[in-house]
Amino acid sequence: MKMKGYYYILLLSHIFNIGQTDPMVNIFAINTWPFTRATDAAFNVLQDTGSAIDAVVAGCTECERDQCDGTVGWGGSPDEDGHTTLDALVMEGSHQDTGAVIQLKSIREASQVARAVLQHTEHSVLVGQNATNFAKLFGFQSQPMASNTSVSRWESWKQNKCQPNYWKDMVDSKKRCGPYKPQPNAELNSGHHVSHVSRHSHDTIGMLALDAKGRMAVGLSTNGLTFKIPGRSSDSALPGCGGYVDNEVGGAVATGDGDIMMRFSPAFLTVELMRGGSNPEKAAQTSVRRIAKKYPLFSGAVVAASKDGVYGAACHNIVVFKYSIRDTAGPRTRLVTIPCSNSTHVLHF
């Protein structure tokens, strides 16, 4: 009877694919830029039959260690006070369970802390010093977040009278350093946007992964906008803005001018357009066009992939946009280059 029970369980496992990989699944790892070491790190996890969540965390962690472009990880993008803080998000595709940290201080492993929020709390987002305190409970160690580069950039910015900065309708904010006072009788100037964004002043690694069990995940990490007002959140750590994923459809990640892009939830919109029948490229194009219609000077990109391994991207106001992918179709990470829509203002990323 015990042997019959064993074969019965074995039969059920084959029928319902319990705990098994699907040989028909084309596992993949994708990220929003030519950060090939990060893509390789994520794909290596997938090859070892790791989960999609483990893969995106591994990829983002690699970029945090490498300080990709100075815009991910410690030592880059100082705020107005000269401090570097980190934002990160991970989301799994079965129930959209999310873990994120915003303004993480003194802890360099932002993606791993976001993973701990996902796995060990009922919350989705932790912020600031309290996120740091949470990280320490799991053994993460406080470390310096500044580098010689970040200190030098901040000092040069201060010598340049704190220009450019991100204040609006404040007395003398375009002439000197703060603190500032509001301009009297200033009216709301809706739609006003002057972009100071470039690849090296603000960027994100956004990762998508599909594992051998058909599970998807997204992960993002950034140190935010250079010389941002302290307390600012990136779009990267906001579910639906920087990233979104649903195993039934696919996933999307966004990068670029986060203060504009977060107003349109482009990752969520892209996945929902895919749910409605659009392919990933078309869905990404629609999401980017919707932002550009209101803010033609914005710069950014959306990368998307379906649960079937079809992928695509769209971008705006970037001369050349490259993202990286590794899957079972080739032995190494490859770069995909796409043309971007543009206004008369084009950023050289």
Side-chain angles (χ1 to χ4, degrees):
M1 293 295 293
K2 289 183 179 180
M3 288 298 293
K4 289 183 179 179
Y6 168 78
Y7 285 118
Y8 178 69
I9 293 172
L10 187 61
L11 176 62
L12 287 177
S13 70
H14 280 289
I15 293 173
F16 294 105
N17 200 30
I18 298 172
Q20 296 187 25
T21 61
D22 184 347
M24 300 302 292
V25 172
N26 178 23
I27 61 173
F28 63 75
I30 301 174
N31 88 59
T32 47
W33 293 104
F35 304 144
T36 57
R37 283 168 55 90
T39 307
D40 287 339
F43 191 77
N44 289 341
V45 170
L46 298 174
Q47 279 190 314
D48 292 336
T49 67
S51 71
I53 278 285
D54 291 337
V56 297
V57 171
C60 289
T61 298
E62 182 68 32
C63 230
E64 291 163 359
R65 292 170 180 160
D66 289 348
Q67 299 168 289
C68 291
D69 275 347
T71 59
V72 180
W74 69 280
S77 300
D79 64 17
E80 281 194 336
D81 295 333
H83 303 306
T84 295
T85 57
L86 306 182
D87 296 354
L89 173 145
V90 293
M91 177 186 286
E92 60 81 38
S94 63
H95 293 85
Q96 290 66 59
D97 285 347
T98 299
V101 289
I102 296 173
Q103 289 279 301
L104 181 68
K105 303 174 181 180
S106 304
I107 306 293
R108 295 181 177 182
E109 301 87 356
S111 296
Q112 295 180 45
V113 179
R115 167 66 183 269
V117 175
L118 167 68
Q119 187 169 350
H120 297 290
T121 80
E122 296 289 343
H123 302 313
S124 293
V125 184
L126 296 181
V127 181
Q129 186 60 48
N130 288 319
T132 300
N133 296 342
F134 170 83
K136 291 178 179 179
L137 292 175
F138 292 87
F140 294 98
Q141 300 296 311
S142 292
Q143 298 184 74
M145 299 295 280
S147 65
N148 291 338
T149 299
S150 67
V151 171
S152 177
R153 292 184 71 186
W154 180 71
E155 290 176 345
S156 296
W157 180 74
K158 294 285 283 188
Q159 292 171 4
N160 193 42
K161 300 181 180 180
C162 303
Q163 304 300 315
N165 62 54
Y166 297 95
W167 294 92
K168 295 195 303 183
D169 297 329
M170 305 293 283
V171 176
D172 291 338
S173 64
K174 305 308 177 187
K175 298 179 180 179
R176 61 173 177 84
C177 295
Y180 311 110
K181 294 182 179 180
Q183 290 182 359
N185 304 316
E187 296 184 359
L188 177 64
N189 189 3
S190 178
H192 174 75
H193 175 60
V194 177
S195 179
H196 305 298
V197 173
S198 72
R199 178 172 174 179
H200 300 287
S201 70
H202 173 60
D203 202 1
T204 299
I205 179 171
M207 295 213 69
L208 289 152
L210 173 70
D211 66 30
K213 295 181 181 179
R215 300 171 299 190
M216 294 191 71
V218 295
L220 299 98
S221 183
T222 183
N223 53 32
L225 190 62
T226 304
F227 312 131
K228 59 184 174 285
I229 298 169
R232 182 250 188 196
S233 172
S234 68
D235 61 323
S236 304
L238 302 179
C241 299
Y244 192 79
V245 64
D246 188 332
N247 286 349
E248 297 178 359
V249 182
V253 286
T255 183
D257 193 341
D259 287 303
I260 298 300
M261 298 180 77
M262 70 171 66
R263 303 170 192 178
F264 296 84
S265 301
F268 175 78
L269 175 59
T270 299
V271 173
E272 291 307 299
L273 290 168
M274 290 163 58
R275 192 189 308 276
S278 294
N279 65 41
E281 181 179 7
K282 180 67 174 178
Q285 289 172 345
T286 300
S287 294
V288 168
R289 280 200 301 268
R290 186 168 297 188
I291 303 171
K293 180 180 179 181
K294 296 292 184 69
Y295 293 93
L297 298 185
F298 110 94
S299 63
V302 174
V303 180
S306 72
K307 64 178 182 178
D308 302 316
V310 179
Y311 55 89
C315 50
H316 185 71
N317 278 342
I318 304 172
V319 173
V320 177
F321 179 67
K322 296 180 180 181
Y323 63 99
S324 56
I325 177 169
R326 188 169 175 188
D327 56 19
T328 55
R332 60 182 61 88
T333 294
R334 59 190 184 275
L335 301 182
V336 179
T337 303
I338 64 168
C340 301
S341 59
N342 63 78
S343 63
T344 56
H345 172 83
V346 182
L347 292 175
H348 294 265
F349 272 34

